[in-house]
Amino acid sequence: MNILLIGSGGREHALAWRLSQSPSCDKLFACPGNPGIDEVAELVAIDISDHATVADFCKANAIPFVVVGPEAPLVDGLGDSLRAAGIKVFGPNANAAVLEGSKGFVKDLCARENIPTAAYARHSEKMAALADLARFGVPVVIKADGLAAGKGVIIAETASEARDAIEHMFEGGFGDAGAEVVIEEFMTGEEVSFFAISDGTHVVPFGSAQDHKRVGDGDTGPNTGGMGAYSPAPIFTNTLEAEVMQRIIDPTVKAMARDGCSYSGVFFAGLMLTSEGPKLIEYNCRFGDPECQVLMMRFEGDLVELLLAAATDGGLANVNRPRLSDEYALTVVMAAKGYPGTPEKGGHIRIGNVGAARVFHAGTAVNDSQLVANGGRVLNITALGSSVTDAQAAAYAAVDAIDFPSGFCRRDIGWREVVRERSDAE
């Protein structure tokens, strides 16, 4: 089977790496891809906003299956257009991708279905939003309703910061994504990323991870798209997974199907483990980045078979439950100086001997035969280990084998679990 993968980041490189290993994959195409993906797929230049052109390319190259990596094409309806052309798609249609496309939609769904989440309010007018702040107290969470490349969430520690965040959003700080704002109660606890695969009727777990959003060591500095992650998250026990499936994921699948927007693809549930139990922070309609990288390192099996089953109505009933290795995976993001602000592009990169680790390309390009930085998050250095401590050591040994003078990384990815492991050993 020929397959087209949509996307160009580290998530897509990890997906391409696993998809290319499947005995079901005859040829893998990637649009637009990156230099790392180029090693396992044929890169093609197609305007993915032109859905008809994407469909025509698939037909011309006998491609019956498309895997969509990022969220924006899904929210834009690429899945709808390809399905209408008779092409199977891993990823939801636009009316289901609204789970990520509108944070307010998710909060309303949670309220209707009694899904545990933070108290909230939705506002489309700045003055009303400002007037509503007082009842939430501080800290408080201010979110742009729409897609903001993972950066539309501000945790305001003071009332002044909260007002500034609301004004920034309504004044276009996040473009159209901030046309509506969601104000949320601040939840206390530890965050976990949980993934599940759905065919619209059936849903199966696909592992947990914890990521590091802050740019600096010790979880300091501004939020980013993610500076590293590890999987599994030991704090997310089998008991908690069962509770999340029963109280959060399953009700969502049933509600979406009942409301005529059946969800096919991956659920990425951001969770807060509170003293009252796990609560939903938000949904994403694609694999996380960099969580996907650690999940793909641990995945055992035929990824094409699994994703194709999810793209088939009722298909998950006919495949084995996904299996992930018992080993831990940890990934470290190497970013370009200036990120998450304006990154310094063009810096030369030389990848040395990284041993058993894998280097997933996230924001790279080739210039005069030289690998260079071409984005904010540039490389994802990913390794396995029998513990988070071992995986961390292997990943940072690989980081130290990479010459990237204009890049930087956090040196403490996985620190919470490393501390717990050290405490358990004493």
Side-chain angles (χ1 to χ4, degrees):
M1 175 190 302
N2 295 339
I3 300 167
L4 173 63
L5 171 67
I6 303 292
S8 63
R11 167 182 49 227
E12 286 75 39
H13 189 183
L15 288 169
W17 172 63
R18 273 298 180 212
L19 289 168
S20 68
Q21 297 172 34
S22 170
S24 309
C25 181
D26 294 319
K27 185 170 184 178
L28 180 63
F29 297 88
C31 174
N34 64 39
I37 296 174
D38 190 33
E39 297 174 2
V40 294
E42 180 180 322
L43 306 189
V44 293
I46 308 171
D47 178 4
I48 59 173
S49 67
D50 186 341
H51 298 178
T53 297
V54 178
D56 289 344
F57 176 84
C58 290
K59 291 176 180 178
N61 290 275
I63 298 170
F65 184 40
V66 175
V67 176
V68 183
E71 65 276 14
L74 296 170
V75 173
D76 187 46
L78 178 60
D80 305 69
S81 299
L82 294 177
R83 288 185 175 97
I87 300 162
K88 289 194 172 184
V89 181
F90 180 76
N93 280 337
N95 65 352
V98 71
L99 279 179
E100 180 164 3
S102 171
K103 296 176 178 65
F105 174 89
V106 174
K107 301 299 290 190
D108 289 348
L109 181 146
C110 289
R112 290 196 306 272
E113 305 302 322
N114 198 31
I115 293 170
T117 189
Y120 75 103
R122 298 178 67 174
H123 289 286
S124 57
E125 297 290 338
K126 181 176 71 173
M127 296 311 295
L130 291 171
D132 203 19
L133 273 175
R135 69 184 176 98
F136 285 88
V138 291
V140 64
V141 183
I142 312 298
K143 296 182 177 181
D145 179 71
L147 297 181
K151 300 183 180 70
V153 178
I154 296 173
I155 299 174
E157 300 288 346
T158 67
S160 177
E161 288 178 2
R163 288 192 297 270
D164 289 346
I166 288 173
E167 289 178 354
H168 180 66
M169 290 181 187
F170 278 114
E171 289 168 6
F174 294 104
D176 291 342
E180 183 171 310
V181 166
V182 175
I183 304 172
E184 277 190 8
E185 164 199 18
F186 178 81
M187 293 189 289
T188 301
E190 197 162 334
E191 287 191 40
V192 170
S193 300
F194 176 64
F195 298 84
I197 307 291
S198 174
D199 61 16
T201 303
H202 307 93
V203 60
V204 293
F206 193 79
S208 65
Q210 285 189 290
D211 73 339
H212 298 258
K213 290 293 187 189
R214 300 282 187 172
V215 72
D217 285 6
D219 294 322
T220 58
N223 274 331
T224 71
M227 295 300 293
Y230 61 93
S231 173
I235 195 172
F236 192 68
T237 63
N238 290 337
T239 300
L240 284 173
E241 178 182 288
E243 182 179 353
V244 167
M245 289 295 293
Q246 179 183 10
R247 300 189 63 201
I248 297 176
I249 304 297
D250 286 342
T252 301
V253 172
K254 292 175 182 176
M256 296 293 283
R258 181 196 66 219
D259 295 343
C261 43
S262 179
Y263 189 99
S264 166
V266 60
F267 281 103
F268 169 5
L271 304 171
M272 185 68 75
L273 305 184
T274 76
S275 59
E276 299 172 339
K279 295 186 178 184
L280 181 69
I281 301 172
E282 63 184 21
Y283 275 127
N284 295 310
C285 63
R286 36 71 188 182
F287 283 106
D289 189 346
E291 292 96 337
C292 184
Q293 289 83 314
V294 288
L295 290 170
M296 289 303 115
M297 284 290 281
R298 295 181 56 228
F299 178 73
E300 297 177 339
D302 186 335
L303 187 63
V304 171
E305 178 185 56
L306 175 66
L307 302 192
L308 188 60
T312 304
D313 187 26
L316 287 175
N318 303 314
V319 297
N320 293 327
R321 175 174 168 152
R323 171 164 173 76
L324 277 69
S325 167
D326 291 333
E327 287 193 289
Y328 292 87
L330 184 142
T331 190
V332 177
V333 171
M334 295 192 77
K337 289 179 181 177
Y339 179 78
T342 302
E344 181 181 323
K345 294 186 179 182
H348 286 193
I349 303 166
R350 186 172 68 250
I351 300 174
N353 181 6
V354 298
R358 301 207 65 84
V359 179
F360 295 117
H361 292 229
T364 63
V366 174
N367 187 1
D368 293 330
S369 300
Q370 172 70 51
L371 187 68
V372 299
N374 191 44
R377 294 185 294 172
V378 179
L379 299 172
N380 310 136
I381 296 81
T382 314
L384 291 168
S386 59
S387 63
V388 174
T389 301
D390 290 343
Q392 183 194 62
Y396 279 112
V399 167
D400 293 338
I402 296 173
D403 183 22
F404 181 18
S406 65
F408 74 96
C409 68
R410 282 183 57 164
R411 302 295 306 194
D412 65 345
I413 299 302
W415 69 266
R416 286 188 185 87
E417 199 55 41
V418 169
V419 169
R420 283 193 278 256
E421 289 176 350
R422 186 180 301 125
S423 177
D424 289 344
E426 293 175 352

